[in-house]
PDB file of all heavy atoms in Angstrom:
ATOM      1  N   LEU A  56       6.220  11.084   3.172  1.00 98.00           N
ATOM      2  CA  LEU A  56       5.939  12.158   3.957  1.00 98.00           C
ATOM      3  C   LEU A  56       6.094  13.454   3.042  1.00 98.00           C
ATOM      4  O   LEU A  56       7.175  13.591   2.492  1.00 98.00           O
ATOM      5  CB  LEU A  56       6.772  12.278   5.155  1.00 98.00           C
ATOM      6  CG  LEU A  56       6.554  13.454   6.149  1.00 98.00           C
ATOM      7  CD1 LEU A  56       5.136  13.335   6.714  1.00 98.00           C
ATOM      8  CD2 LEU A  56       7.567  13.440   7.203  1.00 98.00           C
ATOM      9  N   ILE A  57       5.177  14.274   3.019  1.00 98.00           N
ATOM     10  CA  ILE A  57       5.153  15.663   2.406  1.00 98.00           C
ATOM     11  C   ILE A  57       5.157  16.619   3.565  1.00 98.00           C
ATOM     12  O   ILE A  57       4.250  16.584   4.396  1.00 98.00           O
ATOM     13  CB  ILE A  57       4.097  15.761   1.332  1.00 98.00           C
ATOM     14  CG1 ILE A  57       4.063  14.760   0.267  1.00 98.00           C
ATOM     15  CG2 ILE A  57       4.126  17.155   0.793  1.00 98.00           C
ATOM     16  CD1 ILE A  57       3.102  13.754   0.395  1.00 98.00           C
ATOM     17  N   ALA A  58       6.268  17.316   3.623  1.00 98.00           N
ATOM     18  CA  ALA A  58       6.303  18.271   4.888  1.00 98.00           C
ATOM     19  C   ALA A  58       7.488  19.352   4.446  1.00 98.00           C
ATOM     20  O   ALA A  58       8.155  19.125   3.655  1.00 98.00           O
ATOM     21  CB  ALA A  58       6.689  17.548   6.026  1.00 98.00           C
ATOM     22  N   ARG A  59       7.381  20.344   5.549  1.00 98.00           N
ATOM     23  CA  ARG A  59       8.602  21.308   5.397  1.00 98.00           C
ATOM     24  C   ARG A  59       9.284  21.159   6.826  1.00 98.00           C
ATOM     25  O   ARG A  59       8.648  21.126   7.852  1.00 98.00           O
ATOM     26  CB  ARG A  59       8.062  22.738   5.279  1.00 98.00           C
ATOM     27  CG  ARG A  59       7.464  23.064   3.922  1.00 98.00           C
ATOM     28  CD  ARG A  59       8.533  23.400   3.056  1.00 98.00           C
ATOM     29  NE  ARG A  59       7.961  23.814   1.678  1.00 98.00           N
ATOM     30  CZ  ARG A  59       7.886  25.102   1.193  1.00 98.00           C
ATOM     31  NH1 ARG A  59       8.550  26.039   2.047  1.00 98.00           N
ATOM     32  NH2 ARG A  59       7.535  25.303   0.168  1.00 98.00           N
ATOM     33  N   CYS A  60      10.577  20.932   6.601  1.00 98.00           N
ATOM     34  CA  CYS A  60      11.437  20.953   7.842  1.00 98.00           C
ATOM     35  C   CYS A  60      12.222  22.261   7.914  1.00 98.00           C
ATOM     36  O   CYS A  60      12.400  22.960   6.834  1.00 98.00           O
ATOM     37  CB  CYS A  60      12.424  19.766   7.806  1.00 98.00           C
ATOM     38  SG  CYS A  60      11.642  18.290   8.398  1.00 98.00           S
ATOM     39  N   GLY A  61      12.708  22.598   8.989  1.00 97.00           N
ATOM     40  CA  GLY A  61      13.570  23.740   9.359  1.00 97.00           C
ATOM     41  C   GLY A  61      14.741  23.599   8.541  1.00 97.00           C
ATOM     42  O   GLY A  61      15.279  22.525   8.063  1.00 97.00           O
ATOM     43  N   SER A  62      15.334  24.658   7.967  1.00 95.00           N
ATOM     44  CA  SER A  62      16.663  24.691   7.319  1.00 95.00           C
ATOM     45  C   SER A  62      17.745  24.679   8.249  1.00 95.00           C
ATOM     46  O   SER A  62      19.141  24.851   7.905  1.00 95.00           O
ATOM     47  CB  SER A  62      16.792  25.880   6.418  1.00 95.00           C
ATOM     48  OG  SER A  62      16.565  27.120   7.076  1.00 95.00           O
ATOM     49  N   VAL A  70      14.956  14.847   9.234  1.00 98.00           N
ATOM     50  CA  VAL A  70      14.751  14.152   7.910  1.00 98.00           C
ATOM     51  C   VAL A  70      15.635  12.726   8.163  1.00 98.00           C
ATOM     52  O   VAL A  70      15.223  11.725   7.662  1.00 98.00           O
ATOM     53  CB  VAL A  70      15.333  14.959   6.747  1.00 98.00           C
ATOM     54  CG1 VAL A  70      15.485  14.228   5.530  1.00 98.00           C
ATOM     55  CG2 VAL A  70      14.391  16.199   6.603  1.00 98.00           C
ATOM     56  N   VAL A  80      11.307  10.319   2.375  1.00 98.00           N
ATOM     57  CA  VAL A  80      11.385  11.649   2.594  1.00 98.00           C
ATOM     58  C   VAL A  80      11.630  12.601   1.467  1.00 98.00           C
ATOM     59  O   VAL A  80      12.153  13.673   1.683  1.00 98.00           O
ATOM     60  CB  VAL A  80      12.369  12.015   3.809  1.00 98.00           C
ATOM     61  CG1 VAL A  80      11.818  11.377   5.125  1.00 98.00           C
ATOM     62  CG2 VAL A  80      13.747  11.456   3.506  1.00 98.00           C
ATOM     63  N   ASP A  81      11.526  12.045   0.273  1.00 97.00           N
ATOM     64  CA  ASP A  81      11.900  12.790  -0.970  1.00 97.00           C
ATOM     65  C   ASP A  81      11.134  14.082  -1.145  1.00 97.00           C
ATOM     66  O   ASP A  81      11.623  15.066  -1.734  1.00 97.00           O
ATOM     67  CB  ASP A  81      11.895  11.989  -2.231  1.00 97.00           C
ATOM     68  CG  ASP A  81      12.830  10.841  -2.339  1.00 97.00           C
ATOM     69  OD1 ASP A  81      13.755  10.892  -1.477  1.00 97.00           O
ATOM     70  OD2 ASP A  81      12.608  10.015  -3.135  1.00 97.00           O
ATOM     71  N   ALA A  82       9.936  14.158  -0.502  1.00 97.00           N
ATOM     72  CA  ALA A  82       9.070  15.268  -0.524  1.00 97.00           C
ATOM     73  C   ALA A  82       8.983  16.181   0.580  1.00 97.00           C
ATOM     74  O   ALA A  82       8.266  16.890   0.960  1.00 97.00           O
ATOM     75  CB  ALA A  82       7.640  14.939  -0.996  1.00 97.00           C
ATOM     76  N   VAL A  83      10.126  15.979   1.478  1.00 98.00           N
ATOM     77  CA  VAL A  83      10.290  16.801   2.664  1.00 98.00           C
ATOM     78  C   VAL A  83      11.256  17.902   2.205  1.00 98.00           C
ATOM     79  O   VAL A  83      12.432  17.548   1.932  1.00 98.00           O
ATOM     80  CB  VAL A  83      10.802  16.068   3.866  1.00 98.00           C
ATOM     81  CG1 VAL A  83      11.070  17.029   5.008  1.00 98.00           C
ATOM     82  CG2 VAL A  83       9.777  14.922   4.251  1.00 98.00           C
ATOM     83  N   THR A  84      10.924  19.068   2.157  1.00 97.00           N
ATOM     84  CA  THR A  84      11.808  20.202   1.835  1.00 97.00           C
ATOM     85  C   THR A  84      12.030  21.140   2.854  1.00 97.00           C
ATOM     86  O   THR A  84      11.224  21.363   3.810  1.00 97.00           O
ATOM     87  CB  THR A  84      11.034  20.927   0.667  1.00 97.00           C
ATOM     88  OG1 THR A  84       9.797  21.413   0.981  1.00 97.00           O
ATOM     89  CG2 THR A  84      10.896  19.964  -0.649  1.00 97.00           C
ATOM     90  N   PRO A  85      13.203  21.854   2.817  1.00 96.00           N
ATOM     91  CA  PRO A  85      13.445  22.762   3.812  1.00 96.00           C
ATOM     92  C   PRO A  85      12.667  24.046   3.683  1.00 96.00           C
ATOM     93  O   PRO A  85      12.456  24.617   2.536  1.00 96.00           O
ATOM     94  CB  PRO A  85      14.942  23.096   3.556  1.00 96.00           C
ATOM     95  CG  PRO A  85      15.243  22.643   2.225  1.00 96.00           C
ATOM     96  CD  PRO A  85      14.281  21.656   1.845  1.00 96.00           C
ATOM     97  N   GLY A  86      12.283  24.675   4.720  1.00 97.00           N
ATOM     98  CA  GLY A  86      11.574  25.886   4.777  1.00 97.00           C
ATOM     99  C   GLY A  86      12.516  26.926   5.048  1.00 97.00           C
ATOM    100  O   GLY A  86      13.674  26.881   5.300  1.00 97.00           O
ATOM    101  N   ARG A  87      11.988  28.202   5.120  1.00 97.00           N
ATOM    102  CA  ARG A  87      12.840  29.276   5.447  1.00 97.00           C
ATOM    103  C   ARG A  87      12.995  29.440   6.978  1.00 97.00           C
ATOM    104  O   ARG A  87      13.934  29.857   7.628  1.00 97.00           O
ATOM    105  CB  ARG A  87      12.308  30.612   5.012  1.00 97.00           C
ATOM    106  CG  ARG A  87      12.283  30.710   3.460  1.00 97.00           C
ATOM    107  CD  ARG A  87      11.797  32.002   2.873  1.00 97.00           C
ATOM    108  NE  ARG A  87      10.394  32.257   3.342  1.00 97.00           N
ATOM    109  CZ  ARG A  87       9.225  31.660   2.800  1.00 97.00           C
ATOM    110  NH1 ARG A  87       9.404  30.835   1.879  1.00 97.00           N
ATOM    111  NH2 ARG A  87       8.182  31.924   3.362  1.00 97.00           N
ATOM    112  N   GLN A  90      13.012  24.640  12.417  1.00 98.00           N
ATOM    113  CA  GLN A  90      12.278  23.494  12.678  1.00 98.00           C
ATOM    114  C   GLN A  90      11.091  23.738  13.681  1.00 98.00           C
ATOM    115  O   GLN A  90      11.335  24.430  14.583  1.00 98.00           O
ATOM    116  CB  GLN A  90      13.122  22.383  13.150  1.00 98.00           C
ATOM    117  CG  GLN A  90      12.596  21.126  13.469  1.00 98.00           C
ATOM    118  CD  GLN A  90      11.991  20.395  12.164  1.00 98.00           C
ATOM    119  OE1 GLN A  90      12.367  20.764  11.056  1.00 98.00           O
ATOM    120  NE2 GLN A  90      11.037  19.630  12.294  1.00 98.00           N
ATOM    121  N   ALA A 111       8.800  25.903  10.437  1.00 98.00           N
ATOM    122  CA  ALA A 111       8.650  25.639   8.833  1.00 98.00           C
ATOM    123  C   ALA A 111       7.324  25.024   8.550  1.00 98.00           C
ATOM    124  O   ALA A 111       6.870  24.993   7.283  1.00 98.00           O
ATOM    125  CB  ALA A 111       9.856  24.714   8.483  1.00 98.00           C
ATOM    126  N   GLU A 114       4.804  26.951   6.643  1.00 98.00           N
ATOM    127  CA  GLU A 114       5.190  27.260   5.199  1.00 98.00           C
ATOM    128  C   GLU A 114       4.713  26.203   4.157  1.00 98.00           C
ATOM    129  O   GLU A 114       4.597  26.331   3.046  1.00 98.00           O
ATOM    130  CB  GLU A 114       6.735  27.374   5.127  1.00 98.00           C
ATOM    131  CG  GLU A 114       7.327  28.676   5.928  1.00 98.00           C
ATOM    132  CD  GLU A 114       8.648  28.621   5.765  1.00 98.00           C
ATOM    133  OE1 GLU A 114       9.368  27.927   4.945  1.00 98.00           O
ATOM    134  OE2 GLU A 114       9.287  29.261   6.760  1.00 98.00           O
ATOM    135  N   LEU A 115       4.174  25.045   4.729  1.00 98.00           N
ATOM    136  CA  LEU A 115       3.670  23.940   3.846  1.00 98.00           C
ATOM    137  C   LEU A 115       2.532  24.446   2.870  1.00 98.00           C
ATOM    138  O   LEU A 115       1.538  24.939   3.453  1.00 98.00           O
ATOM    139  CB  LEU A 115       3.369  22.733   4.609  1.00 98.00           C
ATOM    140  CG  LEU A 115       3.131  21.432   3.978  1.00 98.00           C
ATOM    141  CD1 LEU A 115       4.248  20.953   3.112  1.00 98.00           C
ATOM    142  CD2 LEU A 115       2.543  20.358   4.872  1.00 98.00           C
ATOM    143  N   ASP A 119       3.329  21.715  -2.546  1.00 97.00           N
ATOM    144  CA  ASP A 119       4.582  20.834  -2.099  1.00 97.00           C
ATOM    145  C   ASP A 119       4.275  19.351  -2.210  1.00 97.00           C
ATOM    146  O   ASP A 119       5.103  18.572  -2.243  1.00 97.00           O
ATOM    147  CB  ASP A 119       4.946  21.115  -0.606  1.00 97.00           C
ATOM    148  CG  ASP A 119       5.319  22.498  -0.426  1.00 97.00           C
ATOM    149  OD1 ASP A 119       6.019  23.061  -1.328  1.00 97.00           O
ATOM    150  OD2 ASP A 119       5.056  23.161   0.665  1.00 97.00           O
ATOM    151  N   PRO A 121       3.818  16.552  -4.652  1.00 94.00           N
ATOM    152  CA  PRO A 121       4.191  16.247  -5.984  1.00 94.00           C
ATOM    153  C   PRO A 121       3.044  15.487  -6.734  1.00 94.00           C
ATOM    154  O   PRO A 121       2.552  14.445  -6.091  1.00 94.00           O
ATOM    155  CB  PRO A 121       5.475  15.473  -6.050  1.00 94.00           C
ATOM    156  CG  PRO A 121       6.041  15.698  -4.617  1.00 94.00           C
ATOM    157  CD  PRO A 121       4.809  16.067  -3.620  1.00 94.00           C
TER     158      PRO A 121
END
Side-chain angles (χ1 to χ4, degrees):
L56 181 62
I57 299 106
R59 290 282 180 107
C60 279
S62 56
V70 171
V80 293
D81 294 346
V83 176
T84 56
R87 292 180 306 279
Q90 180 65 19
E114 299 172 15
L115 188 65
D119 292 327

